[in-house]
Amino acid sequence: MICKYHTQFCNCVERMCTTASFKMNKCYLYPRQQPDMKQFYLLVGALLCGISLFGQQGRLTGKVQDASTGDPLIGATVVTDQMLGVSTDIDGAFILDVPAGLVEYSVSYVGYVTQKYSLTVEAGQEYTILVDLVLEEGLLNTIVVTGSKFEKKLGEETVTIDVIKSDLIEHTNDVRLDQSVQRMPGVSVIDGQANIRGGSGYSYGAGSRVLLLMDDLPVLTGDAAFPSWDFIPIENIQQVEIIKGASSALYGSSALNGIIHVRTAYPTSTPETKFSFFNGGYFSPADTAQKWWGDDFPFMAGANFAHKQKFGRFDLVTGSYIYAQNSYLKDIYNRRGRINMNTRYRISSNFSVGLNVNAQMSRSANFFFWNNADSGLYIPAEGTVSLNQGFKITVDPFIHYFDQKGNRHKLLSRYYGNHNETPGVEQSNFSDLYYAEYQYQKHIEAINLVLTSGILANQAHVSAALYGDSTYTAANQALYIQADKKMFNKLNLSAGMRYEFNQIGTLQESRPVFRAGANYQLADYTYLRASWGQGYRFPTIAEKYISTGISGLSIFPNPDLTSETGYSAEVGVKQGLRISNWQGMLDASAFISEYADMMEFTFGYYNTTGTAIAPGFKSLNIGDTRIQGFEVSFIGQGKLGSVPTSLILGYTYIDPTFQVFDSLQDALSSADYNVLKYRFRHTVKFDIESTFKQFRIGVTCNYNSFMEAVDAAFVDPIIPAINLYIIEGLQDYRDEHNTGDYVVDIRMAYVLKNSNEISLICANMLNRTYSLRPAMMEAPRNIMVKYSVRL
């Protein structure tokens, strides 16, 4: 039924309707029923009132779109000088009734230049308007959604957020997402374990303090909460947003140390298709005595495809990826193939549904630690290679709906199946994760307030030989709410809370977490920010119940493991800069994080049967910790003279310590002073890329200082009398490489006609011998050739 006054769908079955964004008289139209005379007179009176009212008004109708692409801008705001307003629908369209006479109105959208107009409106007339909005220039106007679950300018966020654009991922030909995120200041990934500003060490594949999201949904395995970096469809990425600091209030347990959020690129008005093919190989290490492959040539090769297109109201994004590698590490290989599809159908101007699917099959052999440091750095120790045959799939149905008052409703869901078989050993695991979330968001434009709330539940079912041939169920439910308010057009305030309930088997736990932040614009492109957020992480099934072994070493369960809690706080300033046609933003921040009962896998000698002592790993609550430091970064893009140039430069310093350092922590660490294990105190990130006509060249340089502490059992002899070690040569290697590591990569490309491009990418150009995780070497110099075409 159409409301006569508002020309919107009216659901006046139980109540009267009002307009979404501006005041009008109430509509007394009711659904059909057997009327009496009183109802008849009310109906006639309402109709006459409506006719009289419309006779004193005119109507603005139109569409708001991107000036360069012609794509509709959903949620753009049209507001008159009399504070009458409306937001555009999913097609970018709007309808607004205004009083007759001179009307001044503005059209705005986050990240675009606001346009102002004036129009003399005659009573009873309708005016059709097409508004083209132009993107605002400047990196500070980059739009992000992760911090508040709605679109906001990067400069106005209350937390530190870094953004990786798809161009950087394509130009470097990163084959896994973790390779891309490590290019950003303060972010490290150690053997798959993400670490933001020293918040994590190395967890041997179980538990994560950094939450990996893909289109607002978590992508962590149900048993170990471990991110599968190669499962992310990097060929379809629009941008990656990285939040540094505790984000548990909005995102829950695994966001204790931060968030990495992957956003898919949806189609514009112009269809786009991309193909890429690449092939490359590894050169000999600097120490040729370490070369084990003789005349063979370890290689990597792959191809990917991506397509996105609009078909009327139907949006389609699809892609595929295949990859094959015979590694520079002996007996290690990787084969995987993945397909993905994102769909969205706009049923009406305020209602859309969709289904996203991502599936991958893989076979691999994985490396644990080297044979020896003399001639076996790239050769695995006996019995330490594990084989894996895997299948992963996510299926994500969703619904987005805007009600008559402009409030947003989102229903998100996901099934994540992660099935891994390990031929020959009892380490297989099968986990199925079910996730559902309802999100409600209300924009109160009169007071510049956005309220975001939600309720969610997820449940993981795990059956695995890896966990003692047992079946486990883990469940999580949560409620959250966050308020974001803008005051005086300069001050952005944010506050939120979340209540979590977690359960594994019969073990249950619940607690609230809170956060708050502020951002004040001192001047044009000068922003001060401060934030504080609590963190909370519940143990995973893997951390509590894993029971397996490798090469004579055991990995022990710890059913008594308890959750960790903490907080992080930050103060920072962001300053936008302009040099002719080149723009940049300088960011400086100081931060602190404290954790109570921090969980970490620790190598040692454990009592397993009451009498026997055996070497191995076990997840422990290692005590209360503190990580503090500062970070300075500069990110820029634009033209230096006539040369388009982009730059990323950052330095991060951390001081990771125990709040109380006792003899137990001293005994478990290779360092004889107070420092947390598996951290880099100093890191430097640098990337620059310039384009000269059809040529493009880029250079990346990363520096990590010496890893000051590892597990003591890795470097101390088991039997000192005969110098028998668990990992042969590790202490000697650390003594020789104790000044840190730097690695330089270079990339070059030539753009052919018709959008074809050929690239040459050289990683570790100086052929440095280095490792990020002790006893596992990183790649020697390797070169890759890539050909890509865009249709």
Side-chain angles (χ1 to χ4, degrees), residues 158-223:
T158 63
V159 294
T160 298
I161 300 182
D162 285 340
V163 177
I164 304 173
K165 293 294 188 179
S166 60
D167 285 350
L168 180 61
I169 299 173
E170 290 184 16
H171 295 172
T172 56
N173 198 41
D174 293 331
V175 299
R176 299 189 317 271
L177 181 65
D178 57 322
Q179 296 174 321
S180 302
V181 300
Q182 290 187 88
R183 302 180 189 280
M184 303 310 291
V187 182
S188 301
V189 181
I190 301 176
D191 198 15
Q193 178 68 53
N195 172 349
I196 297 177
R197 292 174 171 173
S200 300
Y202 173 52
S203 67
Y204 302 93
S208 177
R209 296 188 185 92
V210 177
L211 178 60
L212 177 62
L213 294 171
M214 183 168 64
D215 294 326
D216 219 21
L217 290 167
V219 197
L220 297 177
T221 57
D223 58 338

Side-chain angles (χ1 to χ4, degrees), residues 362-392:
S362 63
R363 290 187 296 113
S364 63
N366 303 309
F367 187 99
F368 190 38
F369 59 82
W370 67 45
N371 186 48
N372 62 73
D374 294 331
S375 60
L377 289 178
Y378 301 92
I379 300 174
E382 184 177 354
T384 62
V385 174
S386 59
L387 304 180
N388 180 274
Q389 296 178 1
F391 176 71
K392 295 181 175 68

Side-chain angles (χ1 to χ4, degrees), residues 114-176:
T114 298
Q115 300 289 344
K116 295 183 177 182
Y117 304 92
S118 62
L119 178 68
T120 300
V121 175
E122 296 183 10
Q125 297 298 310
E126 183 173 304
Y127 301 85
T128 302
I129 303 163
L130 179 63
V131 181
D132 290 320
L133 293 186
V134 179
L135 278 169
E136 283 189 284
E137 295 183 352
L139 290 169
L140 287 173
N141 294 313
T142 299
I143 303 304
V144 294
V145 300
T146 311
S148 303
K149 288 186 180 283
F150 67 91
E151 293 181 327
K152 184 185 286 189
K153 292 181 181 180
L154 178 62
E156 296 179 351
E157 281 288 359
T158 63
V159 294
T160 298
I161 300 182
D162 285 340
V163 177
I164 304 173
K165 293 294 188 179
S166 60
D167 285 350
L168 180 61
I169 299 173
E170 290 184 16
H171 295 172
T172 56
N173 198 41
D174 293 331
V175 299
R176 299 189 317 271

